[in-house]
Amino acid sequence: MTLNAFLFQALNGLSSASGLFLIAAGLSLIFGVTRIVNIAHGSLYMLGTYIAYSFATKIGGGLGFWGGIIATAIVVGMLGALIEFLLLRRIYRAPELFQLLATFALVLIINDAALYIWGPEDLLGPRAPGLRGAVEIFGRRLPSYDLFLIFVGPAVLLALYFALARTRFGRLVRAATQDREMVGALGVNQAILFTSVFALGAALAGLGGALQVAREPANLATDLIAIGDAFVVVVVGGMGSIAGAYLAAVIIAEVKALCIGIGVVHFGMFSVNFSKFTLVAEFLVMAVVLIARPYGLLGRPQAAVRSVAEPEDPIRPATPLLKALAAVVLALLLCLPLLAQNSPYLLILGIDVLIAVLFATSLHFIMGPGGMHSFGHSAYFGLGAYGAALLVKWLAAPMGVALIAAPIVALGGALLFGWFAVRLSGVYLAMLTLAFAQIVWAAVFQWEELTGGSNGVIGVWPPPPFDKASVYFLLALVLTVIGVLLLRRFLFAPFGYAMRAGRDSALRAEAIGIDVKRVHWLAFAVAGCVCGVAGGLFAFAKGSISPETISVGRSIDGLVMVLLGGIQTITGPIVGASVFATLQDMVMRQTEYWRALLGAIILFLVLAFPQGIVGAVAQLFGKRRKGQTP
Amino acid sequence: MSVLDLRSLSKSFGGVHAVNAVSFAIRRGEFLAMIGPNGAGKSTCFNMINGQLAPDSGTILLEGKNIAGLAPRDIWRLGVGRTFQVAATFGSMTVVENVQMALISHAGEIYRLWRPAASLYRARALDLLAQVGMREAADRPSRALAYGDVKRIELAIALANEPRLLLMDEPTAGMGARERHELIQLVKKLVVERGISVLFTEHSMDVVFAYADRIVVLARGRLIADGDAAAIRANAQVREVYFGTGKTFAGAVS
Ligand SMILES: Nc1ncnc2c1ncn2[C@@H]1O[C@H](COP(=O)(O)OP(=O)(O)O)[C@@H](O)[C@H]1O
Ligand SMILES: [Mg+2]
């Protein structure tokens, strides 16, 4: 690459950095004051693009292009205020995990709302008046609009800086970011402060999205891509630091721009296309920063992580009643192939449920007893599924070999990623695990020669007799039961107790000779390994595997399953996964807008059953003796 | 010969010299009290001895071996037990399981995956609980206990690895006068039986003067006195420190 080409790419990077910064700054402000990680922030950004499109094309030129952009920011800001007022206000005291889920429910709802209003097609807005041309720079032509965007980021940074440094509102925001209790002591109306910060953050996201309208089409996939990018920026820059957000936005945008700029490089026999590594590069930057500076470049250590909703009761071996119940359920499942002779659909659903149970149980293993809230469990599912599918595709491996390889591949990934993950906790751990899952996703997506890219791998069918749904169901049942029972056995063994010891009090655990990080690392690996079995089963059940099926969405599904069942119970994830998988299937059959419906259900569950279904049932039957907690 | 020998131990936080060139030794079987006003550096000393903090400089000799900078779990394996100023137990386990954890770890069986933990070393754990007077509470969740009882559980946990040295940071904090005496009496009985050396901090002067074999006094990170009860009572500098905080020995003893 020539020097000129290099500098030109650097400019390109700066103009992308502005967009990244706008969304990340809002996310960071909101987190600083309310301590909520708003996953729906990417959705607000996406809405910004759609609304700006409507202002520019439908509502008429009354406001003009620029008036439309400003109006969009205001509309999205008001929407943010409404969200804060109706929803978030009710969950400020809820456990972190529930807040994340509630905001993810909003992602689902907003996405379907956009689908309903604007339809599934990409919508390209008009060019910006006055900035249609391009300028000649470093021997290439840079669109004037991109040049303009380069200045937007620093301008907003300066405006925010002065607003925070010089105004009363800014002082309150800073005070609240540093010490939440202090705000109460200042006699400030906290409710108004929170609402206005959320509105401001939303307006920034809306502005960022609106500015994209002249550059890129409005697209329904933007929400998750934008929030993924924003997570990376905020975590690299440091939660709650606006300047850090800009710094990180520039670093990441530059790294990506350079990857594209470098293009294909030949190393002797090999040629590597760097432009395909942008996603991987972005997440590698994040991983490196988090290892070197766990709180981000300009962040500070977080205050102690909030504890789970309610302290957990000691675990007890299954009661005779529970054992009898399990035996009955197992017997029914064994008979299912006979019962379902006339409705093969029931068996397909059954296989899906079993895979979900294995997935959720392995996630619960590290989330509950390990206290590690992973947002990237789909990575190990994906490694297992692709590990199995690729063996079949390239080496024509028999199913038995592929199903043994699946957990081994997942184990390898979990050992690698887990080593980093156990060094962090709380939202940082959540984001790092999410980043690793994105790395796996990106690698699968971008390494087309090996994985088939977005088309995935097809033709992964089980050989006879497993090609019959009834036989495959029994295979899935056997593997799931073994997996679940093994994990359960581990939890009652010293290893499981050591996991809980490390979670309950790392200080005490270390003081009695337990290497907490090592125990949690191995737990992470065990969970990943079992999850890999679920992935392998999935690949053969569907006959194919594609990047969508291992995306962030699946990680979140897993979290919902675990929370639905109740994180504090060992049987919870089994019930949660069964209910969720069945529900998802039913809802998907009813309506095109199943995501929104699912989102509404999640919101309802989060607000109504903070302890999950099994937790609520246990409470109903008075299993938790009252008055034990001091 | 000394069980523990601190030589010129120092630690600062930012500009604060929390512990400043402190040296003293604990003889085998000794019941040694460390006293000093709040913020004197007592907990910081404890944290360096058990490995939670690495000292800035100085050495910590455990029976002649320098353990400064080792991890807490390694120091524990060398036979140093500890209780915390803010008691820490495993809240999701029963009382007896808390003690079993320490026994399982002591036996090096943490990574076992098959045998249920609840069945391992239960008899021995119950025995330890009986010795601290908590046998009745064995199967209750540890988070449901009163604070004073949690301190007893911590004592049982700390005894599980048959330590040669026991560190107890304010073991009687938050207890009434009678409970204090009972607990310290119990500790003294248990450690004398086993020949364990003890370093403990304590705010109640009558407890210190009644039970400690020897007393070291810390103030603003420095060691200002080291001697038996009579010597400490008579020490002018110690009196000054305690008058400065509004305490008098007369008041504490009465
Ligand atoms: N982790 C820490 N970071 C900063 N300062 C600390 C830390 N721990 C203790 N200090 C300071 O060191 C001094 C000694 O504290 P500490 O050892 O807890 O005293 P004591 O236990 O005698 O009350 C105090 O000034 C305290 O504020
Ligand atoms: Mg102290």
Side-chain angles (χ1 to χ4, degrees):
Chain A
M1 194 162 52
T2 65
L3 180 65
N4 269 354
F6 179 83
L7 291 173
F8 183 80
Q9 271 315 118
L11 277 184
N12 254 334
L14 277 182
S15 81
S16 313
S18 287
L20 277 179
F21 168 65
L22 281 180
I23 170 170
L27 189 68
S28 198
L29 264 179
I30 291 173
F31 177 80
V33 173
T34 66
R35 291 288 181 278
I36 285 192
V37 175
N38 178 28
I39 302 183
H41 217 65
S43 309
L44 296 172
Y45 177 87
M46 179 184 79
L47 277 184
T49 317
Y50 274 109
I51 295 175
Y53 169 83
S54 287
F55 269 120
T57 58
K58 300 265 160 53
I59 303 177
L63 298 167
F65 179 85
W66 301 106
I69 299 278
I70 302 297
T72 301
I74 293 171
V75 169
V76 176
M78 284 179 352
L79 186 67
L82 198 67
I83 291 173
E84 198 278 343
F85 187 76
L86 291 180
L87 173 64
L88 299 184
R89 186 160 290 191
R90 289 165 215 285
I91 56 170
Y92 284 132
R93 305 218 157 265
E96 213 160 62
L97 213 50
F98 281 75
Q99 300 174 340
L100 292 167
L101 274 174
T103 60
F104 185 75
L106 286 177
V107 171
L108 298 174
I109 294 171
I110 293 176
N111 195 283
D112 267 0
L115 173 65
Y116 179 76
I117 299 173
W118 287 284
E121 304 297 328
D122 285 8
L123 301 175
L124 187 59
R127 313 276 288 277
L131 294 174
R132 294 210 169 95
V135 280
E136 174 101 11
I137 196 163
F138 299 124
R140 286 153 200 249
R141 294 175 61 76
L142 184 72
S144 325
Y145 192 72
D146 287 11
L147 195 61
F148 158 76
L149 283 184
I150 290 180
F151 294 100
V152 170
V156 172
L157 176 62
L158 276 180
L160 276 177
Y161 177 79
F162 281 109
L164 289 179
R166 298 288 160 80
T167 64
R168 178 174 147 73
F169 172 74
R171 269 198 303 282
L172 291 176
V173 169
R174 278 184 296 140
T177 303
Q178 270 146 33
D179 181 1
R180 257 174 125 186
E181 312 305 315
M182 215 168 98
V183 187
L186 288 172
V188 175
N189 187 335
Q190 187 165 325
I192 293 181
L193 177 70
F194 280 27
T195 311
S196 45
V197 164
F198 207 88
L200 175 63
L204 285 172
L207 179 65
L211 285 171
Q212 294 302 315
V213 78
R215 231 179 148 214
E216 278 167 22
N219 174 302
L220 285 171
T222 321
D223 50 0
L224 283 181
I225 295 175
I227 193 64
D229 285 346
F231 268 5
V232 177
V233 168
V234 166
V235 165
V236 168
M239 272 295 208
S241 163
I242 304 290
Y246 188 68
L247 183 64
V250 169
I251 291 176
I252 285 163
E254 290 299 339
V255 168
K256 284 173 116 179
L258 289 184
C259 271
I260 294 173
I262 291 171
V264 182
V265 176
H266 300 279
F267 298 106
M269 280 165 57
F270 298 97
S271 60
V272 177
N273 187 349
F274 275 92
S275 62
K276 297 209 158 196
F277 285 110
T278 52
L279 271 168
V280 174
E282 164 178 348
F283 287 102
L284 282 181
V285 169
M286 170 161 165
V288 170
V289 168
L290 279 180
I291 301 321
R293 284 188 64 95
Y295 305 106
L297 293 173
L298 300 184
R300 308 152 176 258
Q302 293 295 303
V305 183
R306 234 165 317 160
S307 60
V308 211
E310 236 182 278
E312 195 176 292
D313 283 334
I315 56 173
R316 311 247 186 236
T319 57
L321 179 67
L322 184 62
K323 277 186 185 153
L325 198 66
V328 170
V329 171
L330 193 60
L332 279 179
L333 287 175
L334 281 170
C335 297
L336 195 68
L338 294 176
L339 301 176
Q341 261 163 349
N342 296 321
S343 66
Y345 158 70
L346 207 56
L347 283 176
I348 307 289
L349 176 64
I351 293 170
D352 282 350
V353 167
L354 288 172
I355 291 171
V357 165
L358 204 49
F359 183 69
T361 308
S362 65
L363 175 59
H364 173 267
F365 189 71
I366 46 175
M367 265 177 84
M372 297 177 278
H373 297 168
S374 166
F375 270 60
H377 208 52
S378 60
Y380 315 105
F381 188 84
L383 286 171
Y386 267 94
L390 291 177
L391 270 181
V392 173
K393 177 179 174 181
W394 293 110
L395 303 178
M399 184 173 83
V401 172
L403 282 184
I404 291 171
I408 296 175
V409 174
L411 174 71
L415 278 172
L416 175 68
F417 296 155
W419 192 86
F420 294 103
V422 297
R423 267 137 247 277
L424 302 176
S425 62
V427 288
Y428 283 90
L429 180 121
M431 292 181 156
L432 187 68
T433 48
L434 187 114
F436 284 136
Q438 285 284 0
I439 289 185
V440 172
W441 181 83
V444 162
F445 195 83
Q446 296 186 338
W447 198 349
E448 261 182 272
E449 295 79 14
L450 182 74
T451 64
S454 58
N455 297 325
V457 183
I458 53 168
V460 194
W461 293 111
F466 297 101
D467 55 344
K468 285 228 282 293
S470 54
V471 182
Y472 196 78
F473 172 82
L474 290 177
L475 173 71
L477 182 62
V478 168
L479 289 182
T480 302
V481 169
I482 292 176
V484 168
L485 287 182
L486 265 185
L487 288 179
R488 191 179 165 90
R489 184 90 199 186
F490 294 168
L491 281 184
F492 281 93
F495 181 71
Y497 269 67
M499 280 168 71
R500 286 193 296 136
R503 173 202 64 187
D504 284 357
S505 169
L507 197 64
R508 165 51 72 197
E510 290 278 343
I512 58 165
I514 299 175
D515 188 340
V516 173
K517 282 209 174 87
R518 182 144 181 228
V519 167
H520 281 176
W521 177 47
L522 293 176
F524 206 96
V526 168
C529 182
V530 173
C531 183
V533 177
L537 277 175
F538 181 85
F540 282 102
K542 304 290 166 200
S544 67
I545 182 83
S546 67
E548 292 101 88
T549 51
I550 66 161
S551 68
V552 185
R554 182 169 297 272
S555 299
I556 309 280
D557 287 353
L559 290 171
V560 176
M561 292 175 202
V562 170
L563 292 181
L564 205 57
I567 190 170
Q568 305 183 349
T569 57
I570 304 182
T571 36
I574 300 174
V575 178
S578 308
V579 172
F580 183 89
T582 313
L583 209 64
Q584 191 178 34
D585 198 83
M586 277 165 30
V587 169
M588 275 168 83
R589 278 161 189 278
Q590 293 309 319
T591 162
E592 185 188 354
Y593 299 104
W594 59 273
R595 278 183 226 88
L597 202 55
L598 198 62
I601 292 171
I602 296 177
L603 278 187
F604 169 75
L605 289 170
V606 165
L607 294 173
F609 301 109
Q611 302 113 12
I613 298 175
V614 174
V617 171
Q619 203 158 43
L620 207 63
F621 286 95
K623 262 201 209 155
R624 289 155 177 270
R625 277 152 295 166
K626 286 281 166 207
Q628 278 180 352
T629 28
Chain B
M1 142 130 189
S2 310
V3 174
L4 188 77
D5 195 350
L6 307 187
R7 296 199 182 149
S8 193
L9 205 57
S10 297
K11 178 85 193 173
S12 340
F13 298 106
V16 184
H17 290 286
V19 171
N20 197 347
V22 165
S23 306
F24 65 89
I26 305 171
R27 287 186 279 275
R28 192 183 304 283
E30 196 171 35
F31 206 60
L32 177 64
M34 177 189 275
I35 64 172
N38 271 328
K42 305 183 295 294
S43 292
T44 305
C45 256
F46 275 61
N47 288 342
M48 288 190 285
I49 298 171
N50 101 305
Q52 224 162 287
L53 287 173
D56 293 341
S57 62
T59 48
I60 304 170
L61 299 177
L62 182 70
E63 301 202 322
K65 178 181 179 333
N66 187 8
I67 58 168
L70 292 187
R73 55 175 182 273
D74 298 323
I75 292 177
W76 179 80
R77 296 219 174 272
L78 294 172
V80 180
R82 140 146 226 200
T83 68
F84 293 93
Q85 182 170 346
V86 177
T89 58
F90 307 129
S92 72
M93 296 182 198
T94 63
V95 167
V96 68
E97 285 171 346
N98 266 275
V99 182
Q100 281 171 284
M101 274 322 285
L103 291 165
I104 289 170
S105 176
H106 182 48
E109 296 177 5
I110 280 301
Y111 294 100
R112 286 179 69 173
L113 289 169
W114 203 249
R115 283 278 302 278
S119 66
L120 294 170
Y121 305 107
R122 185 174 158 94
R124 175 122 180 65
L126 289 175
D127 187 41
L128 279 167
L129 285 176
Q131 294 183 38
V132 299
M134 292 296 296
R135 175 67 182 78
E136 302 308 310
D139 291 310
R140 296 180 57 195
S142 72
R143 69 184 156 86
L145 295 182
Y147 193 68
D149 290 341
V150 176
K151 292 279 190 183
R152 286 169 183 263
I153 306 301
E154 276 210 302
L155 179 59
I157 294 174
L159 291 174
N161 71 328
E162 291 154 21
R164 14 185 189 183
L165 173 66
L166 193 52
L167 307 170
M168 306 184 79
D169 199 358
E170 306 210 10
T172 69
M175 291 185 184
R178 227 191 64 194
E179 222 186 337
R180 276 168 194 257
H181 279 274
E182 278 172 12
L183 184 76
I184 297 295
Q185 233 159 15
L186 172 69
V187 173
K188 183 129 189 181
K189 174 175 145 286
L190 292 175
V191 301
V192 167
E193 283 168 10
R194 292 167 163 78
I196 301 174
S197 323
V198 176
L199 173 65
F200 73 109
T201 62
E202 174 59 57
H203 277 299
S204 159
M205 290 306 152
D206 54 340
V207 169
V208 170
F209 288 139
Y211 299 99
D213 298 326
R214 211 178 96 220
I215 300 163
V216 293
V217 187
L218 240 57
R220 297 217 194 116
R222 287 188 174 277
L223 189 88
I224 58 169
D226 181 345
D228 63 11
I232 296 297
R233 270 208 191 88
N235 186 306
Q237 214 182 343
V238 175
R239 279 165 174 262
E240 196 188 302
V241 165
Y242 274 85
F243 277 124
T245 62
K247 259 191 184 172
T248 66
F249 291 140
V253 173
S254 67

